[in-house]
Amino acid sequence: IRGGRIMSGIPVITISRQYGAGGREIAGLVAEKLGIKLYDRQIVHIAAAKIGLDDLSENDLLELENYVKPLSMNFLPFRSFGMNMSDSSQKIFMTESAAIRKLAEDGPCVILGRSADYVLRKFENKFSIFICADDEFREARGKEVYGGKTLKELDQEDKKRARYYNYYTGQNWGEGQNYDLVVNTSRDSLDKIADAIIDYIKVVKG
């Protein structure tokens, strides 16, 4: 909702982000301001349930989702599911992709992460965003928002995201040409940045 009116032509908005850049908050703000749903971890839960891995903890699911088959082909068994971890990870990715496409077909929404920008690359009414920030900003948020995580720890998480994204998409995570908009959140409040993003989308898609 903008100025008391519902913005016409709202696209499906995908948001990828550096760890510690405020991408999750931006996604929530954009979804709230536009009056549309936000999807994130619900998608991995849906995918896991569809392939029979619905009894896992949140950490188990996220670890499984981020696992990429090692080049050595020496797979690690994932608990006792009768399949190696890499097979489960690939099934998660494929099932997530199907869920993302279905959600996009159902109408405007914000999808955080999940390589959704790539999954929906052929979807006509889609707008992809990459959220980044300066190291100083991310380091401060690591201490204040993420339980004292160091910049090194934040970067390690980003390496996992990049490896997963690059493996399944064949593209480079965070590379500007893969997105409609790249936003540095170090410059202003997250609320104002969310407003600016919506205004930009309105110009491009409205």
Side-chain angles (χ1 to χ4, degrees):
I1 298 173
R2 303 287 291 155
R5 294 176 300 172
I6 296 176
M7 175 181 155
S8 63
I10 300 174
V12 172
I13 301 167
T14 70
I15 296 181
S16 304
R17 79 283 191 203
Q18 277 187 302
Y19 202 179
R24 183 175 298 278
E25 290 91 334
I26 291 288
L29 286 166
V30 169
E32 181 181 0
K33 290 171 184 288
L34 289 175
I36 59 179
K37 292 182 179 180
L38 168 64
Y39 296 107
D40 177 18
R41 291 177 182 171
Q42 305 98 315
I43 295 173
V44 70
H45 281 283
I46 291 169
K50 283 182 177 295
I51 63 173
L53 301 180
D54 55 346
D55 59 342
L56 305 185
S57 71
E58 186 78 15
N59 287 338
D60 285 335
L61 284 170
L62 295 178
E63 185 64 27
L64 172 60
E65 188 195 35
N66 287 329
Y67 184 83
V68 172
K69 180 171 59 179
L71 295 178
S72 66
M73 301 295 285
N74 293 320
F75 306 126
L76 297 173
F78 186 69
R79 294 200 176 179
S80 57
F81 296 113
M83 62 179 74
N84 60 58
M85 189 185 284
S86 66
D87 286 344
S88 298
S89 180
Q90 290 175 23
K91 289 180 180 179
I92 284 280
F93 179 80
M94 297 302 293
T95 311
E96 275 188 10
S97 297
I100 287 168
R101 286 189 286 269
K102 178 63 168 65
L103 291 172
E105 290 169 358
D106 286 345
C109 59
V110 176
I111 301 177
L112 181 63
R114 322 267 81 86
S115 302
D117 58 284
Y118 177 81
V119 173
L120 296 178
R121 65 194 182 281
K122 296 181 180 179
F123 191 80
E124 185 175 348
N125 195 27
K126 180 264 299 180
F127 191 91
S128 60
I129 303 169
F130 186 82
I131 303 292
C132 62
D134 297 347
D135 284 350
E136 184 178 355
F137 179 86
R138 293 174 59 232
E139 186 171 30
R141 282 179 56 84
K143 294 175 182 177
E144 298 165 6
V145 181
Y146 295 98
K149 286 186 180 294
T150 65
L151 181 61
K152 182 178 180 180
E153 289 174 313
L154 299 181
D155 286 341
Q156 287 173 340
E157 290 299 319
D158 278 346
K159 287 180 181 178
K160 290 181 183 178
R161 289 178 178 175
R163 186 169 61 247
Y164 180 87
Y165 181 89
N166 298 353
Y167 179 82
Y168 284 110
T169 71
Q171 298 180 348
N172 292 323
W173 178 80
E175 195 167 274
Q177 67 187 28
N178 295 331
Y179 309 91
D180 296 307
L181 180 67
V182 177
V183 178
N184 187 322
T185 54
S186 311
R187 305 292 186 257
D188 211 329
S189 73
L190 298 183
D191 189 72
K192 288 183 178 179
I193 290 171
D195 283 336
I197 288 172
I198 291 171
D199 288 340
Y200 185 79
I201 295 173
K202 186 175 181 180
V203 170
V204 174
K205 293 284 190 178

